[in-house]
Structures are given as C-alpha cells and as structure tokens.
Amino acid sequence: MRTILLIDDDEACRIPAAELLRRDHWNVIEAEDGGSGLDLAVKSRPDVILCDLLMPRVNGYQVCRAVREHLELRHTKIIVVTGRDYASDRKSAEEAGADGYIVKPLEIPKLKELLDRLLPAQTSEPDVPKPVTSNGAEPDATILRFWGVRGSIPSPGQPTVFFGGNTSCVELRTNGQIVILDAGSGIRPLGLSLVEEFPNDPLDLTLLITHTHWDHIQGFPFFSPAYDSRNRIRIYGYEGAMAGLRSTLAGQMESPYFPVALSEMPGNLHIVELREMSFNVNGIKVDSCFTNHPGVCVAFKLHTPDGTVVYMPDNETKRSSSRQESADKILTDFVRGADVLIMDSQYTSDEYQTHIGWGHGCIDEVVRMAIATNVKRLYTFHHDPAHDDRCVSGMLMHARQMAEAAGSSLIIEAAREGMEVSLKSGAVATR
Ligand SMILES: [Zn+2]
Ligand SMILES: [Zn+2]
C-alpha cells in the first residue's frame, strides 16, 4: 500500500480528501502544519506529499525545499495544493522542488490522474525499496558518509556530541563498491552498521589507508566484518617510514596490546602495499599524492561517475619558504577542480602559529587553497580533539565568510559524524 502525507492547516479541505484517498486504498497520514508535516515525512517516508502552499510558520515552499534536502526522501513526490492560481507561484513551487501543482477545490479524479503520472514505476511494486547490489551501493548514486571526523585521539562527550568524537573514517559507495577511507575509531560503528544492513550477504570491501598514525588505524581491531570468514577485505596503503603496512597494522594487535592477532582475523584480509601513485579499485581509478605530514602519508583522489573526491585528512598547508611552495604546488595541482575535498583543517590561524611543523592544516590556508583551485565542496576534517562543537561551528562560519568575501561559490561544511552526502544531487542527510 502506498503512503500519502497530507499537510494542510485547513481541515475542511484536508479531512474529506483524506477520507476519499483512504477509500481509494491509500495509507493516509495527516499533519496540520508544515513543521509537524516535515517530522512525519522523515519518519514515515511517504510516496507522495500533498502540501498546502500558504500555512502559518512553515509554508509549502519551505516544506518543498526541506524535503528536497533530505536524501532519504529523494523518491518522495511533492504535490502543492493552493487556492490561488498565479503563474509566479507555480514557478516558485517548481523551483522549490514540487513535482505537481493543483488548484483548490481538490478534485480527486484530477489528483489521481496526476498521481498516476508521477508514480508510474511504483504501481507494480510499491513497497519494495530501491534495489542494492550485493555490495550495498545503489548502482546509480555515489554516496559519502562520515563515520569519524576527529584528529589525533577520539574525543567523545557532551562538548563534541554534534560533530562527533570518533577518529578518521569515511565511507564511499560508488559504482557498486563500498570503499572505506581510513580505519580510525569511526570504522567500528561503520562495521556494525554494515553487519546490520547485510546480515546474510558476504561483504566485499576495500579499505584505503592514508598512513599508519594511530588515529587512522586504531579502529580496525574492532571492525566486525573482519571477523566473518565469508567476507573479503582488501587493504591498500604505502610502506611507512619505519615499517611496512602489514607489520604496522599487526603491531597494534600484538599481545599485550590486543587479544587477537591480525593474522587470526578470519575475514580474508588482503593487504596490498602500493608502489604506484595511481591504481584501480574494481574499476574505480584512484590517484595518490604525498602530503606535508610526518612519516609517509598520502591523500587519495577517487574518480567516481559522479565526480572526484579528494580525501586529505592529514596535511599542513603552508606557503612560506620556497621549498614548501614547490611541495604545495603538487598538492594544489592534485586537488584542482575536485568536486569534493575532505581536508585537514585542524587549527585556527592563531593556533597554527604555535603549531607550525606539526603536520596539520590551518583553516584559512585550506579555504584559500580550495578557492584558488576551484574546488566545488570543501569538508573541513580532522577536527582538533580540544575543539568543542561551538569552536568547530565558529571555524566553519569563519571559513564561509572568507569564501563569501572572496566572491567564491565554494560550498563549505564541517564534516560531521553521521553526515551523508549524495554526490549526484548534493543533497545532505543525517543518519
Ligand atoms: Zn591524523
Ligand atoms: Zn597523522
């Protein structure tokens, strides 16, 4: 049975319409204002929302825009209902994301005709969610999810509850693949979520490790899929300054640090030490580039069908000495034109003055670099463990002001645990 949500403060219109639709075998839910309508929409994910245009507090245009920003409501159709028939209202509703427009009084045959037009594909299998591949990715969408956004050490607690306290871990679903970027403590909740999503399917996963500093590998011993012998996990990374990737990953799991050795994990781990700066992950082209960071640390650039994603969690962006300028020239060329740049922005410019040479980014320099290289979306990342939510928000506002002052169209967000981004539509949702 398909679900329709009616949002209208005018009961005289809403209640009879609900009754007629119920008789026509719709599951009907009702809200009498835009705010509660939006809450219901997120909760019940209706096939269609029928929304009045002029309501107090949250009007129909706002409802349309808010629905369109929710990734989980991307399949929901919106029909605007209004007592006025102005061409400009129609156009505004369309621009706000409405799929249809009906002038009151609401005539059910007219509405049904419109519903048939908007939902032709869903009439045969209304309750079946969009199919996913065995790897879990919708074949036609590239999705980015942030599971850990913090630098250096996990920092849970009330002050960081909004942006999150887990260390580096980002999931990318593209081209039928699940690619994981780094294995900080955020990989633990990612693993639990994958097991819940695919209780019966074997998982085929790729993990790319930028470097073996602890905040980028510490979650791996707690990654549930690595304990299931049906799964296959390929781990790619570069040999470090002191030891190879395998021995460093194994080192953190040696007794007395951990009770299970890396070699005893049953999840079919294939560790690949990379030599080249370009490689392929099941059809996804990946480039890497060394960053300004102690030891051997890289950034990855993934070429997805929906654009390029550059992941550079640890990097010090400088522009002082000539030697550094040449190092940064390679990095600026690497990020140039990226659709998404996830980048170390750990310090404010004041803090950076006392942290020069620590290997982490200053947000002002990161924003300048992203603007100069025509990046489309910047996600500030590797938040300092001492920065509470207020501080990270303040840095984000500052970064946005910089972009605005420069007349740039760069979109800036502070990466947040639970944030989900569709590369195709730019829609942002929260798990
Ligand atoms: Zn780090
Ligand atoms: Zn590091």
Side-chain angles (χ1 to χ4, degrees), residues 211 213 215-216 293-294 297 314 360 382:
H211 66 311
H213 280 164
D215 52 325
H216 298 258
H293 194 66
C297 178
D314 289 47
H360 292 296
H382 210 270

Side-chain angles (χ1 to χ4, degrees), residues 81-94:
V81 188
T82 175
R84 317 173 339 161
D85 189 15
Y86 295 120
S88 60
D89 283 357
R90 218 175 250 267
K91 189 160 177 283
S92 306
E94 213 173 88

Side-chain angles (χ1 to χ4, degrees), residues 232-267:
R232 196 176 122 97
I233 305 169
R234 282 174 306 275
I235 306 175
Y236 292 86
Y238 291 85
E239 184 170 332
M242 301 293 285
L245 178 65
R246 178 185 292 276
S247 62
T248 310
L249 285 176
Q252 70 166 349
M253 297 178 73
E254 275 170 12
S255 176
Y257 305 117
F258 199 71
V260 182
L262 183 75
S263 57
E264 290 168 357
M265 287 178 121

